[in-house]
Amino acid sequence: IQSAVCRLFRESLAKRGFVEIHSPKLIAGESEGGAEVFRVDYFGSKASLAQSPQLYKQMAMSADMPGAFEVGPVFRAENSNTARHLCEFTGLDLEMPIRWHYDEVIQVIHETLSSIFLRLEEEHQEELTIIRKMYPSEAPKFPLSEPCVLHWDEAMELLRSNGEPREDIMADLSTNEEKLLGSLVREKYGSDLFFLDQYPSAVRPFYTMPSKEKPEFSNSYDVIFCGQEIGSGAQRCHDPELLEARCASLGVPTEPLQSYIESFRHGVPPHGGVGLGLERIVQLYLGLDNIRKASMFARDPTRLTP
């Protein structure tokens, strides 16, 4: 099933004319900033294992690609011993130009995931039947045409009206809040897949485009599936001056990012994308109780072999 998700992801985007890229996993500095990176010695220089292909897939947009995607390893030095975290997982990433509005990106993500889910049921019924005898689950529900999009304000109101008021409505969601929101959306909209849109800017990375109307919010979203986040995406800051201002406001040093920022000075279209986690998609699709069951050779804080 994991292999099928990768294949269907590739096929869906290749049909759109997207180009598959392969970005480096040994990098100078850090992909997204922060302390949760694996640091390595690179012939006497400091380097780290990439947290995502984020900067490179954006630079592909400055090369005027019609869209780019990647299937590759992602490393997170998070000491999280939970049923849904891994230190190394497979990322399903895409990036694309925006013509008018970043809703176009949400639509492509929705259509890609919808295609994967429908074809899994059509082409892999034998495997699914075997798995569902051991781990009971049903095919997920989701709208076929338009994505289910929930804006941040509506999400906060849904939680409040169901007995879960938040002290800080601008803070990121907890795992339990995600799960509750997932069940409320399924009940109200009949969908296991939805996009939580217009996240507060303060909890998003430096390359996230702030909302023009309300800068305290951003043109970004989480992809929620079966009550858990399977990925995050956004419209990116494509203006070098705005990008540098975002870095300054968040305390992100720009020196390691110069080649990335410079690539935008030569011209880049407005663009956006998403980073999805393969193992978490498989875990939730199959109703597995632990993400390690969706990985052949899992890597977590206590497991480095086999």
Side-chain angles (χ1 to χ4, degrees):
I1 298 301
Q2 188 195 79
S3 174
V5 172
C6 286
R7 173 177 59 82
L8 296 171
F9 179 77
R10 283 188 168 102
E11 288 179 5
S12 178
L13 294 172
K15 284 180 181 177
R16 294 179 178 274
F18 281 45
V19 178
E20 183 169 8
I21 63 172
H22 303 283
S23 62
K25 304 308 168 199
L26 279 169
I27 61 169
E30 297 152 11
S31 314
E32 301 180 12
E36 295 167 342
V37 297
F38 290 106
R39 291 177 172 82
V40 297
D41 175 72
Y42 193 71
F43 304 105
S45 298
K46 292 181 179 179
S48 62
L49 298 180
Q51 290 172 296
S52 82
Q54 182 60 50
L55 308 187
Y56 296 99
K57 61 180 182 171
Q58 284 188 253
M59 291 168 76
M61 294 300 95
S62 69
D64 206 26
M65 286 188 179
F69 71 92
E70 178 167 348
V71 178
V74 173
F75 302 92
R76 299 285 169 89
E78 298 177 10
N79 193 11
S80 298
N81 294 283
T82 74
R84 68 182 208 144
H85 285 94
L86 292 171
C87 293
E88 179 183 352
F89 63 90
T90 302
L92 306 177
D93 277 83
L94 71 86
E95 203 76 15
M96 58 178 276
I98 295 171
R99 293 187 66 187
W100 300 107
H101 195 277
Y102 74 95
D103 282 352
E104 298 160 28
V105 186
I106 292 177
Q107 183 69 35
V108 168
I109 300 165
H110 173 75
E111 290 176 4
T112 301
L113 289 171
S114 298
S115 173
I116 291 171
F117 297 159
L118 289 172
R119 290 184 63 188
L120 279 178
E121 296 295 327
E122 292 171 1
E123 301 173 17
H124 295 275
Q125 195 53 237
E126 182 179 351
E127 295 96 328
L128 290 172
T129 299
I130 294 169
I131 294 167
R132 285 168 176 163
K133 286 180 180 177
M134 296 183 288
Y135 300 96
S137 67
E138 298 176 350
K141 297 180 178 180
F142 51 88
L144 293 179
S145 54
E146 297 298 317
C148 179
V149 179
L150 193 71
H151 290 116
W152 186 262
D153 290 343
E154 184 184 354
M156 296 305 101
E157 177 56 30
L158 261 181
L159 290 173
R160 188 198 63 77
S161 61
N162 283 273
E164 288 290 334
R166 311 185 75 216
E167 289 185 14
D168 183 3
I169 63 168
M170 303 299 273
D172 205 352
L173 293 180
S174 68
T175 301
N176 289 336
E177 287 170 335
E178 269 182 17
K179 290 180 178 178
L180 175 58
L181 199 56
S183 65
L184 294 174
V185 169
R186 193 179 202 272
E187 182 182 325
K188 185 173 181 179
Y189 297 106
S191 181
D192 290 309
L193 175 67
F194 72 95
F195 296 80
L196 181 53
D197 192 20
Q198 290 281 299
Y199 252 78
S201 295
V203 298
R204 301 308 257 192
F206 65 88
Y207 47 76
T208 306
M209 179 68 79
S211 169
K212 189 175 181 180
E213 294 77 21
K214 296 180 179 179
E216 66 272 22
F217 292 97
S218 62
N219 296 350
S220 70
Y221 39 84
D222 271 2
V223 188
I224 312 290
F225 179 54
C226 297
Q228 293 191 50
E229 174 209 334
I230 58 170
S232 293
Q235 178 182 358
R236 322 299 187 184
C237 288
H238 60 280
D239 178 80
E241 283 69 36
L242 178 58
L243 190 55
E244 289 174 330
R246 279 278 294 165
C247 287
S249 68
L250 295 171
V252 176
T254 56
E255 186 177 344
L257 301 170
Q258 281 309 304
S259 59
Y260 163 70
I261 296 172
E262 283 301 313
S263 71
F264 294 166
R265 296 194 196 279
H266 302 294
V268 64
H271 59 277
V274 72
L276 302 162
L278 171 63
E279 288 84 354
R280 198 174 286 183
I281 292 173
V282 173
Q283 177 196 5
L284 296 170
Y285 195 92
L286 299 177
L288 306 179
D289 59 335
N290 196 302
I291 195 169
R292 291 157 186 80
K293 294 176 180 177
S295 174
M296 184 175 284
F297 301 107
R299 289 291 178 264
D300 60 30
T302 63
R303 190 177 317 201
L304 203 53
T305 60

